[in-house]
Structure formats: C-alpha cells, structure tokens
C-alpha cells in the first residue's frame, strides 16, 4: 500500500480552491496523521475538481495496516410506527397530492415506509431498510410544499435520524433507499436514481420497475449495489452525471453485474442537476393546477400595488416567508 492516502473518514476541511467545506486531506498511513502540505482532494467534483497530490508518495509494502471491521448498527423497528403518521403535516406528501390521487400517494407511503419528522415542521424521513428489514438509518429532509424542491436556505435541510437520536458509537452502513422492496415485489427489474423523492415519483409514473435511490451521486458504488447483483438494473443519472455513472456501471458489469446506464436525461436540453422526475413532470402532467396563494403572498402583493419596489426587494434578496417558501407575484 502507499504511504499516503486520502482520509476515509467523513471529516472535511475548507477547500483552498472553491472555499467550500468539501476538502478531504491525505493521511500518513503509518502515523494516521493528516498531511499539512496542502495535499488533498475536493469532493465538490462537479464544479471544483481540485486535487493536490502529496510529495514523494511511495509504496510501503512492509507496512500492513490492520483491517478493523465493526458490525453495522441498526435502529429500532418501532420508529417506523412512531414516525409513520402526521402526513397532513408532511410537505412532500402534500406536494405529491397536487399531482397524484390519494390512493397513489398512500401506496408510496406504505411501499417505502415514509416517515414524518418533528425535527423541522413538515419534514420527511426516508428510511434505509436492508433486505433483512433492518433499519440502517433514516435521512430527514425538508421540501417546499408548493414546488416539491428541497429547502436549502438559510441552510441545506438534511439530517440523519441516528444523529438526532444521539446514539453513541453508531456504526453507519448505508444501503439503497427502497432496497427492502426486493423481498416484497415480484418484479425482476430495478431502476436506480439519485434522489429518494425521484424514486417515489417514478414508481408512480413507471410502476413496472422496483425504484431505488442512492441518496447521493457518490453512493452509486459496489458496496451499495451488492445485494442486487443478480437483478437486471437500469440507472438514470442526473444531468451532467452520466459519464461518471456510466464509467462505474461499465466496471461493475465486468464483475458480473447487469447494469445499463441510460443517457435519457443527459440528452435533454435541461439545466445541470435536472433529474428524471423533473422531466416526467414537465411532459406528463398536462392538468392545470389551480394556484393557491398564501396569506403572506396576498398581503405582499396588496402592498406592492401601493409601492411596487417591494417586489424588486423580494427578488433581489431572495426573501422567503416564515415557512421558508418563496413569495410569488400575483399577476
């Protein structure tokens, strides 16, 4: 093995190139100390790609780092029941009801065992459940009730159930979102996307597949795909991620996997980051949805008739209402 390698823990530092906390430092494999020579790699590889290699890296065959394996932790199953309620206060569920019937929305709630979290009012829990029905963790996310988009201001609203529960020495081992469905479905074709929300939506648009999600672009990897190696798999990377996912799929196919990487999204003239559900919503939902304005929007637009500069102020500073939703202009 090499004397220096990238740190495998989750610790990140400020990147000297893009100034985001995405920088992974190199460590000395003999002393386990970080190198302080500026060497490391930025995980923000879509836009930054900064990678500084350490000086004089060499093979140290005489040193064998011991492999320490720890059993993955799991969460108590009663959390599914405790959190499987209050869907009238779940922003994502209420958004889905704009486009799908009550029965369809209930079906994805039950299939994917969605939860509602009190951590942020209106937030959703996406449980990661393995084929043995063990809960590996749950991801808490907050969405805009009108647009279905993730709320990223004033910060990115993502948290983990095991962290919220403050469990000591929790050994996290993630799995694909929706992995438990291989035990509950007679379908033999699996479709994988990045976003959990997209998996839910596509399971309604194209129900012939078992839809799963990696949860992040970097989670499309062998460790998470091993439980479904014997299935036929098609993956739909987000716009701009096709080359990376296709390269990984090609390598895994050499190891016996049956993965086809679709360029359907990549070929569309859409912004970077667009996913499959975005395209299906645009092309499939022709029904006109009645726009319902909030009390804040109605009041702001009333004041704007007196002083139009209010609208410019809102647009300039991206102001939100108390529920972190955008304020629309009433034409």
């Amino acid at each position: 093995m090499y004397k220096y390698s990238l740190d495998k823990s989750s610790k990140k530092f400020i990147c000297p190139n893009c100034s985001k906390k995405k920088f992974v430092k190199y460590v000395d494999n003999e002393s386990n100390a970080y190198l302080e020579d500026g060497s490391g790699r930025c995980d923000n590889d879509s836009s930054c790609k900064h990678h500084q290699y350490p000086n004089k890296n060499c093979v140290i065959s005489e040193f064998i780092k011991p492999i320490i394996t720890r059993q993955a932790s799991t969460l108590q199953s009663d959390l599914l029941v405790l959190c499987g309620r209050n869907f009238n206060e779940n922003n994502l569920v209420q958004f889905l009801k704009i486009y799908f019937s009550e029965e369809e929305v209930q079906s994805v709630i039950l299939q994917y065992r969605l939860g509602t979290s009190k951590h942020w009012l209106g937030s959703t829990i996406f449980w990661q459940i393995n084929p043995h029905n063990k809960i590996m963790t749950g991801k808490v996310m907050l969405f805009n009730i009108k647009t279905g988009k993730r709320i990223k201001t004033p910060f990115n609203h993502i948290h983990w159930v095991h962290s919220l529960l403050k469990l000591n020495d929790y050994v996290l081992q993630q799995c694909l979102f929706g992995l438990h469905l291989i035990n509950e479905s007679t379908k033999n074709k699996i479709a994988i996307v990045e976003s959990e929300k997209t998996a839910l939506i596509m399971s309604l648009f194209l129900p012939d597949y078992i839809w799963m999600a990696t949860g992040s672009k970097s989670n499309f990897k062998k460790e998470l795909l091993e439980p479904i190696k014997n299935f036929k798999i098609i993956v739909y990377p987000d716009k701009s991620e096709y080359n990376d996912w296709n390269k990984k799929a090609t390598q895994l196919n050499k190891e016996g996997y049956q993965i086809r990487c679709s360029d359907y999204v990549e070929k569309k003239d859409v912004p970077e980051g667009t996913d499959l559900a975005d395209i299906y919503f645009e092309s499939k939902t022709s029904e006109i949805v009645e726009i319902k304005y909030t009390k804040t929007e109605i009041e702001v637009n009333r004041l704007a008739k007196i002083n139009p500069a209010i609208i410019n102020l809102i647009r300039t500073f991206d102001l939100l209402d108390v529920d972190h939703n955008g304020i629309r202009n009433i034409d």
Side-chain angles (χ1 to χ4, degrees):
M1 70 180 300
Y2 282 95
K3 179 173 175 60
Y4 309 126
S5 64
L6 287 166
D7 183 19
K8 292 181 172 60
S9 76
S10 59
K11 190 169 184 179
K12 302 290 174 65
F13 298 86
I14 299 297
C15 175
N17 186 54
C18 68
S19 300
K20 293 185 178 180
K21 196 173 183 180
K22 297 275 189 176
F23 194 66
V24 180
K25 288 187 176 182
Y26 275 91
V27 295
D28 187 318
N29 287 316
E30 293 179 294
S31 66
N32 285 325
Y34 288 114
L35 300 189
E36 299 300 339
D37 60 356
S39 60
R41 185 185 69 192
C42 183
D43 270 355
N44 189 20
D45 50 12
S46 291
S47 56
C48 181
K49 299 182 180 179
H50 177 70
H51 193 168
Q52 177 66 46
Y53 293 92
N55 294 324
K56 298 180 180 179
N57 202 2
C58 59
V59 175
I60 47 173
S61 56
E62 71 277 5
F63 174 71
I64 302 176
K65 190 174 182 179
I67 299 174
I68 301 174
T69 58
R70 298 172 65 192
Q71 185 174 359
S73 302
T74 58
L75 298 174
Q76 294 181 343
S77 59
D78 59 0
L79 286 171
L80 294 178
V81 177
L82 291 172
C83 301
R85 58 186 72 170
N86 298 330
F87 290 109
N88 286 334
E89 300 176 4
N90 188 309
N91 286 5
L92 178 59
V93 169
Q94 296 309 307
F95 166 75
L96 292 176
K97 287 181 178 180
I98 298 174
Y99 296 95
F100 301 101
S101 69
E102 183 78 27
E103 293 74 18
E104 288 174 315
V105 175
Q106 284 298 322
S107 73
V108 295
I109 290 174
L110 294 174
Q111 258 192 310
Y112 290 93
R113 305 180 191 179
L114 294 184
T116 301
S117 173
K118 295 180 180 179
H119 182 62
W120 296 303
L121 182 64
S123 56
T124 301
I125 304 175
F126 299 106
W127 300 109
Q128 293 184 11
I129 305 171
N130 72 13
H132 305 291
N133 282 316
K134 299 293 184 181
I135 306 173
M136 310 311 293
T137 188
K139 185 191 291 186
V140 180
M141 302 179 74
L142 184 62
F143 296 87
N144 184 301
I145 196 170
K146 297 183 182 69
T147 66
K149 301 293 184 182
R150 277 171 39 203
I151 292 180
K152 300 181 181 181
T153 55
F155 58 90
N156 203 356
H157 288 66
I158 299 178
H159 218 312
W160 296 92
V161 172
H162 65 272
S163 297
L164 292 173
L165 293 175
K166 295 180 169 52
L167 300 175
N168 295 326
D169 300 320
Y170 195 88
V171 180
L172 176 62
Q173 181 178 306
Q174 292 193 63
C175 69
L176 292 169
F177 172 70
L179 182 60
H180 64 282
L181 294 175
I182 62 174
N183 295 328
E184 302 174 7
S185 176
T186 58
K187 305 164 189 172
N188 60 2
K189 295 181 292 185
I190 293 176
I192 298 177
V193 291
E194 180 180 329
S195 161
E196 295 90 347
K197 183 191 78 173
T198 300
L200 299 181
I201 292 169
M202 294 312 302
S203 73
L204 294 172
F205 279 132
L206 298 176
D208 290 339
Y209 292 90
I210 301 174
W211 287 89
M212 300 183 185
T214 60
S216 71
K217 61 184 178 183
S218 60
N219 268 351
F220 179 58
K221 56 186 178 181
K222 182 178 178 179
E223 293 87 334
L224 270 68
L225 296 172
E226 281 180 337
I228 56 173
K229 183 176 182 178
N230 295 326
F231 286 79
K232 291 182 179 179
I233 304 167
I234 181 169
V235 297
Y236 291 93
D238 292 355
K239 178 73 172 185
S240 81
E241 296 303 325
Y242 172 78
N243 289 336
D244 184 41
W245 278 34
N246 188 50
K247 182 179 178 181
K248 291 178 181 178
T250 301
Q251 182 58 45
L252 288 169
N253 287 340
K254 294 177 182 178
E255 300 179 31
Y257 286 80
Q258 305 173 71
I259 304 173
R260 181 166 69 88
C261 188
S262 172
D263 60 358
Y264 178 75
V265 177
E266 195 67 25
K267 286 184 175 180
K268 295 287 185 181
D269 184 18
V270 292
E272 182 177 317
T274 298
D275 65 24
L276 190 62
D278 294 327
I279 294 172
Y280 264 73
F281 264 128
E282 184 178 345
S283 60
K284 297 287 186 179
T285 55
S286 57
E287 182 178 338
I288 299 175
V289 179
E290 181 184 356
I291 298 175
K292 295 182 179 180
Y293 294 98
T294 64
K295 291 181 179 179
T296 300
E297 289 170 335
I298 293 171
E299 180 60 16
V300 166
N301 280 274
R302 183 186 69 80
L303 294 172
K305 291 179 180 179
I306 302 172
N307 184 0
I310 291 175
I311 298 297
N312 291 332
L313 183 68
I314 291 171
R315 298 292 174 263
T316 301
F317 295 98
D318 291 325
L319 299 180
L320 306 173
D321 65 15
V322 293
D323 296 320
H324 302 292
N325 295 319
I327 301 172
R328 295 166 297 178
N329 185 23
I330 301 175
D331 296 327

